[in-house]
């Protein structure tokens, strides 16, 4: 997890309409395992392994507590919240642009990226309200960032909330955000070996969207292998091959969302 990979979320910023509105409180004592500097270093880490594992457990327990709070808040308002996860470039934002244009009712989006407000601007242009969370050095969203984004976004009752996580197939799988469902997007240009390489992500998913299916004739990607390997990890997993560019099979995607 992040205390191992060295990523930190202490400098996360929530941005509405291009302006930073706050800085996330530090959720870890900074002296234990996260160096105050971010430059590459080769010296021995001063923290023993036991202490590091204790901190990891504490971070995840605190996150789970905040996630349950988010979940209760969203359920009270009957907002269906979907956590979208993928590697960078799988097509999450393009998928959301089409989904926003074709989904009735209130749709709002929390956008997670390390830097820039590019994706929040695309989402607003597509017609939905959006809050951008910039995680700085962090490689995933956590429940506290989502709570602060929800304060700004205030999704309407009976609406749909998409949380576009930071592009990364590792850490986002470990952090509950309070969502109702987790969706993994994988594109055919990434290769069909991802379930075995990143098992936690596929084990945690409720649905896998295989995107860019319109490019299938041009790449070596075995859809059956991907399905077989993913279901070995997660037998109840639903999978759907779609194209965010052409809209192929999006009616089934909308049905799945409406059934939440
Ligand atoms: Mg994006």
């Amino acid at each position: 997890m992040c205390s191992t990979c060295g990523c930190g979320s202490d400098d996360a910023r929530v941005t509405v309409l291009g302006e930073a509105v706050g800085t996330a409180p530090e959720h870890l004592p900074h002296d234990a395992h996260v160096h105050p500097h971010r430059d590459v270093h080769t010296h021995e880490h001063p923290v023993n392994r036991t202490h590091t594992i204790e901190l990891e457990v504490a971070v995840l327990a605190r996150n789970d507590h905040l996630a349950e709070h988010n979940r209760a808040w969203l359920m009270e308002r009957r907002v269906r919240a979907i956590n979208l996860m993928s590697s960078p470039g799988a097509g999450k934002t393009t998928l959301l642009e089409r989904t926003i244009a074709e989904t009735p009712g209130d749709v709002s989006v929390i956008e997670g990226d390390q830097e820039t407000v590019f994706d929040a601007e695309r989402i607003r242009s597509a017609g939905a309200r959006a809050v951008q969370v910039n995680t700085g050095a962090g490689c995933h969203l956590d429940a506290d960032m989502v709570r602060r984004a929800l304060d700004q976004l205030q999704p309407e009752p009976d609406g749909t909330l998409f949380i576009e996580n930071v592009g990364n197939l590792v850490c986002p799988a470990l952090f509950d955000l309070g969502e109702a469902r987790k969706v993994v997007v994988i594109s055919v240009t990434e290769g069909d070996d991802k379930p075995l390489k990143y098992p936690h992500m596929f084990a945690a998913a409720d649905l896998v969207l295989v995107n860019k299916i319109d490019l299938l004739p041009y790449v070596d990607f075995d859809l059956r292998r991907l399905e077989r390997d993913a279901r070995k990890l997660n037998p109840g997993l639903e999978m759907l091959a779609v194209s965010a560019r052409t809209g192929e099979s999006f009616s089934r995607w909308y049905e799945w969302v409406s059934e939440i």
Side-chain angles (χ1 to χ4, degrees):
M1 62 168 287
C2 294
S3 57
T4 301
C5 75
C7 123
S9 54
D10 50 303
D11 55 351
R13 302 179 301 284
V14 175
T15 303
V16 182
L17 297 172
E19 287 182 22
V21 296
T23 302
E26 290 196 24
H27 63 197
L28 270 181
H30 215 176
D31 59 344
H33 70 276
V34 180
H35 285 262
H37 56 87
R38 299 280 180 204
D39 51 309
V40 175
H41 53 272
T42 56
H43 57 264
E44 281 297 307
H45 210 285
V47 178
N48 69 48
R49 180 71 185 149
T50 305
H51 194 160
T52 303
I53 289 169
E54 283 169 5
L55 274 170
E56 288 174 9
V57 171
V59 168
L60 288 174
R62 180 174 187 274
N63 183 77
D64 285 351
H65 177 74
L66 293 172
E68 281 310 318
H69 187 269
N70 290 346
R71 187 169 287 109
W73 192 93
L74 290 161
M75 283 178 71
E76 243 171 58
R77 289 158 183 78
R78 300 175 306 282
V79 174
R80 58 173 75 85
I82 298 165
N83 180 5
L84 276 180
M85 301 177 288
S86 79
S87 49
K92 296 186 299 302
T93 313
T94 306
L95 184 138
L96 285 177
E97 286 175 313
R98 179 178 285 277
T99 301
I100 289 160
E102 298 176 349
T103 299
D106 180 67
V107 180
S108 53
V109 179
I110 296 172
E111 275 292 339
D113 279 303
Q114 287 197 319
E115 296 294 344
T116 82
V117 293
F118 295 162
D119 283 1
E121 286 169 353
R122 285 175 61 185
I123 294 300
R124 279 183 215 113
S125 298
R129 289 176 302 113
V131 165
Q132 181 80 51
V133 178
N134 286 136
T135 58
C139 62
H140 62 90
L141 293 177
D142 65 27
D144 188 53
M145 294 175 200
V146 168
R147 178 191 62 77
R148 290 167 26 347
L150 287 172
D151 285 347
Q152 300 297 323
L153 198 56
Q154 294 293 321
E156 288 178 18
D158 300 306
T160 306
L161 170 73
F162 291 102
I163 304 168
E164 184 182 334
N165 219 311
V166 179
N168 176 358
L169 281 177
V170 185
C171 298
L174 299 175
F175 284 80
D176 185 5
L177 305 180
E179 71 277 356
R181 299 285 189 278
K182 290 183 199 296
V183 174
V184 172
V185 183
I186 175 147
S187 60
V188 300
T189 52
E190 293 170 60
D192 49 27
D193 54 0
K194 295 298 175 289
L196 296 185
K197 286 185 171 178
Y198 302 99
H200 294 290
M201 181 58 75
F202 289 85
D206 296 295
L207 171 70
V208 170
L209 291 176
V210 183
N211 191 26
K212 306 188 188 180
I213 201 71
D214 50 308
L215 298 179
L216 197 55
Y218 310 105
V219 292
D220 289 325
F221 184 94
D222 186 341
L223 195 52
R224 281 173 303 179
R225 179 191 176 191
L226 181 97
E227 288 181 351
R228 189 184 62 236
D229 290 346
R231 289 211 171 98
K232 263 188 227 160
L233 297 161
N234 186 346
L237 186 60
E238 288 192 62
M239 303 189 73
L240 187 59
V242 300
S243 168
R245 194 176 70 84
T246 67
E248 185 176 338
S249 296
F250 263 55
S251 54
R252 177 63 200 121
W253 158 236
Y254 299 145
E255 232 174 75
W256 188 86
V257 171
S258 71
E259 286 165 1
I260 295 171

